[in-house]
């Protein structure tokens, strides 16, 4: 019997409604993979939460590309902070591509979206929980669901699974692709001349 798919867009809006009822502008830790993908999600979240971004992306190769995406994120966050009088903060996690790559190597020949990508997503979401626990964040989410190339069901299922180990943290379940999220993001980044990459991240995705 086929498992019924969850409408994570509905789940997310219900979560947001409940949060608004109990917390005013609560702290939120957001995993962001690049400036381009952050455009719509940050705009959506900016009036609801006090946002801190965790830029934890040791999957990105080479290091120059890591910096390109980080600088694009900084440019966009500066724009948002100035335009909306906010104080979005960015925490840059250590860059350890060689260590990260060791776990991906057995799956180097997988197509994008396969076991290599699933492991990469798992590792970054797990790191999001670790950082949130160490720094007392109650609410967390990742913006990775914005991409049409990412499986929103897998992302949110993994977040839910890891959440079982961190009962004092609430992992939110957005599907930022909905409501034309990706198209809105593309329009914003073009208007603001925000760098957009042309491959997912690791060196294996470059060759694809």
């Amino acid at each position: 019997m086929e498992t019924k798919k969850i409408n994570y867009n509905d789940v997310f809006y219900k979560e947001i409604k409940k949060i608004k009822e109990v917390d005013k502008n609560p702290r939120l830790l957001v995993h962001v993979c690049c400036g381009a993908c952050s455009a719509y999600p940050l705009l959506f979240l900016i009036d609801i939460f006090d946002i801190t971004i965790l830029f934890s992306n040791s999957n990105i190769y080479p290091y120059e590309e890591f910096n390109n995406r980080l600088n694009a994120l900084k440019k966009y966050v500066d724009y948002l902070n100035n335009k909306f009088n906010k104080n979005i903060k960015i925490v840059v996690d250590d860059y350890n591509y060689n260590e990260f790559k060791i776990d991906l190597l057995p799956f180097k020949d997988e197509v994008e979206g396969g076991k290599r990508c699933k492991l990469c997503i798992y590792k970054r979401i797990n790191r999001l929980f670790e950082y949130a626990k160490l720094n007392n964040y109650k609410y967390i989410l990742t913006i990775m669901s914005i991409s049409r190339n990412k499986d929103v069901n897998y992302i949110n299922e993994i977040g839910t699974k890891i959440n079982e180990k961190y009962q004092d943290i609430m992992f939110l379940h957005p599907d930022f692709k909905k409501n034309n999220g990706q198209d809105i993001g593309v329009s914003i980044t073009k208007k603001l001349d925000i760098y957009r990459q042309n491959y997912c991240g690791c060196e294996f995705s470059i060759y694809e």
Side-chain angles (χ1 to χ4, degrees):
M1 187 174 185
E2 187 176 342
T3 304
K4 185 179 179 181
K5 288 189 176 181
I6 298 172
N7 186 328
Y8 283 108
N9 189 53
D10 287 348
V11 172
F12 182 56
Y13 275 93
K14 288 176 183 177
E15 291 170 339
I16 292 296
K17 182 180 178 182
K18 288 181 181 179
I19 290 169
K20 285 181 175 180
E21 290 172 354
V22 297
D23 286 326
K24 183 178 180 181
N25 201 227
R27 296 168 72 230
L28 172 71
L29 183 68
V30 182
H31 166 259
V32 170
C33 51
C34 63
C37 289
S38 76
Y40 173 72
L42 292 182
L43 192 62
F44 177 90
L45 298 165
I46 196 167
D47 286 327
I48 306 170
F49 296 98
D50 174 10
I51 301 171
T52 298
I53 292 169
L54 179 64
F55 191 79
S56 182
N57 300 294
S58 288
N59 59 304
I60 299 173
Y61 175 89
Y63 182 62
E64 290 75 15
E65 178 66 19
F66 176 89
N67 277 327
N68 286 341
R69 299 187 193 192
L70 175 58
N71 289 333
L73 175 63
K74 289 178 177 178
K75 179 178 180 179
Y76 184 57
V77 167
D78 284 346
Y79 164 79
L80 291 176
N81 284 339
N82 290 327
K83 182 176 177 63
F84 298 102
N85 193 28
K86 298 293 184 178
N87 185 31
I88 299 174
K89 299 167 284 292
I90 302 174
V91 174
V92 182
D93 212 358
D94 292 338
Y95 178 77
N96 295 307
Y97 178 73
N98 289 334
E99 294 178 20
F100 200 98
K101 176 182 174 181
I102 290 171
D103 290 336
L104 303 185
L105 269 174
F107 311 107
K108 64 183 179 65
D109 296 321
E110 291 270 338
V111 296
E112 185 169 346
K115 293 179 181 178
R116 183 184 72 243
C117 293
K118 285 180 166 60
L119 177 58
C120 179
I121 290 168
Y122 172 85
K123 286 170 67 68
R124 287 183 287 163
I125 293 178
N126 191 64
R127 175 58 182 153
L128 178 68
F129 274 98
E130 290 175 346
Y131 188 91
K133 179 67 175 179
L134 288 171
N135 294 277
N136 300 310
Y137 283 91
K138 181 178 178 181
Y139 302 110
I140 66 172
L141 62 77
T142 175
I143 60 127
M144 286 190 284
S145 66
I146 190 70
S147 170
R148 295 189 182 99
N149 295 320
K150 297 291 187 295
D151 183 348
V152 65
N153 294 296
Y154 177 77
I155 291 169
N156 284 314
E157 287 165 6
I158 285 298
T160 300
K161 184 66 177 177
I162 299 173
N163 209 162
E164 294 174 3
K165 299 187 296 182
Y166 298 89
Q167 296 295 318
D168 52 342
I169 296 172
M170 183 177 180
F171 178 82
L172 304 181
H173 300 80
D175 184 354
F176 285 122
K177 286 188 293 293
K178 298 291 186 179
N179 307 313
N180 297 315
Q182 189 172 30
D183 293 335
I184 293 171
V186 170
S187 176
I188 291 170
T189 54
K190 285 183 177 179
K191 180 180 177 181
L192 299 177
D193 192 26
I194 303 292
Y195 170 74
R196 298 187 63 85
Q197 63 275 5
N198 59 9
Y199 65 99
C200 183
C202 74
E203 61 185 289
F204 310 116
S205 65
I206 297 175
Y207 306 139
E208 292 179 16

